[in-house]
Structures are given as structure tokens and as C-alpha cells.
């Protein structure tokens, strides 16, 4: 799983920030490791140098094998709060998407089993 972290000009892209974001994502999304190819993280300050409450935005986009990209956004007071909130949202979104993907595969398999049984009954008669 590749993690790319991007910041705007008002937020310093330091090694500490990169380590924090990677550790949070890897621990939260470890169970999806085999399904994820890449995660893009974009952190920005919506008000820039003017300041303001809840103005740090974190957008995360996960690339899931066999599925459309999944994107979430969290806006909060600090970088750490925004990253944590976006990570929680992303975890729920991936869990939901993979559940739907597995359900559709399960339903497809179930339909084939019903058709195969019906065909077997027709050929037996």
C-alpha cells in the first residue's frame, strides 16, 4: 500500500507529519492492506494565513483494487484531528465498499448455483 501525502503552502510537509499520517493510516487500514493499492492524502488550510476555527481540511482518496476510488473529507481545528477524522471516515467507506463488492460476488455465485440446479433438473427429465 503506497501512501502519498501532499500539503499546501501554509502547512509544512515535515518528516514528522509524514510519519504520523502513515502510522495512523497503516494501523487503521491494516485489515484492508491486500485490497488497497494507493492512498492520496491532501492537507490544506482553507483560510490560509488568516486563521480561523476548523479550517484544516484533510482529503483522502483510496484506490481499491476492483473498485472505484473512494474519497472522504474532514475539516477540523488541527492537522492531527483532521487526519484522524478522515481516517475514520475512510475506514468506514472502504469497509462498506468492500462489503458491497463481496455481496455482489456472493449474489452472482448464488444465482449461478440456482441456474445450475435448474439446468440439472431439466437435463435429468
Amino acid at each position: 500500500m503506497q501512501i502519498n501525502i501532499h500539503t499546501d503552502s501554509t502547512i509544512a510537509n515535515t518528516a514528522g507529519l509524514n510519519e504520523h499520517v502513515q502510522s495512523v493510516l497503516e494501523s487503521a487500514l491494516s485489515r484492508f492492506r491486500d485490497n488497497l493499492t494507493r492512498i492520496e492524502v491532501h492537507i490544506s488550510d482553507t483560510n490560509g494565513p488568516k486563521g480561523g476555527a476548523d479550517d484544516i481540511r484533510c482529503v483522502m482518496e483510496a484506490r481499491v483494487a476492483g473498485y472505484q476510488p473512494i474519497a472522504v473529507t474532514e475539516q477540523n481545528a488541527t492537522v492531527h484531528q483532521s487526519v484522524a477524522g478522515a481516517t475514520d471516515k475512510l475506514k468506514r467507506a472502504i469497509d462498506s465498499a468492500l462489503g458491497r463488492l463481496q455481496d455482489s460476488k456472493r449474489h452472482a455465485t448464488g444465482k449461478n448455483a440456482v441456474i445450475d440446479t435448474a439446468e440439472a433438473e431439466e437435463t435429468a427429465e
Side-chain angles (χ1 to χ4, degrees), residues 2 13 15 17 23 26 29 32 57 60 65 86 92 108 115:
Q2 180 183 3
N13 193 355
L17 175 63
S23 68
E26 287 174 359
L29 303 177
F32 306 117
R57 177 181 292 148
M60 292 185 181
R92 287 192 307 269
I115 292 170

Side-chain angles (χ1 to χ4, degrees), residues 22-114:
Q22 287 196 3
S23 68
V24 167
L25 283 171
E26 287 174 359
S27 67
L29 303 177
S30 63
R31 66 183 256 217
F32 306 117
R33 177 176 275 295
D34 294 340
N35 299 44
L36 297 175
T37 57
R38 185 175 76 218
I39 299 175
E40 297 284 336
V41 180
H42 299 273
I43 303 170
S44 61
D45 187 342
T46 58
N47 291 335
K50 292 187 288 184
D54 294 345
D55 66 337
I56 305 297
R57 177 181 292 148
C58 180
V59 178
M60 292 185 181
E61 180 181 294
R63 302 292 176 138
V64 180
Y67 204 76
Q68 296 287 328
I70 299 169
V72 296
T73 302
E74 175 71 13
Q75 194 157 330
N76 224 312
T78 68
V79 171
H80 292 283
Q81 290 172 338
S82 293
V83 167
T87 301
D88 288 342
K89 287 181 180 180
L90 187 61
K91 182 179 177 180
R92 287 192 307 269
I94 293 170
D95 191 30
S96 176
L98 290 177
R100 284 193 305 270
L101 189 62
Q102 289 174 352
D103 281 348
S104 66
K105 287 180 181 177
R106 195 173 312 126
H107 288 302
T109 304
K111 288 178 184 175
N112 289 341
V114 170

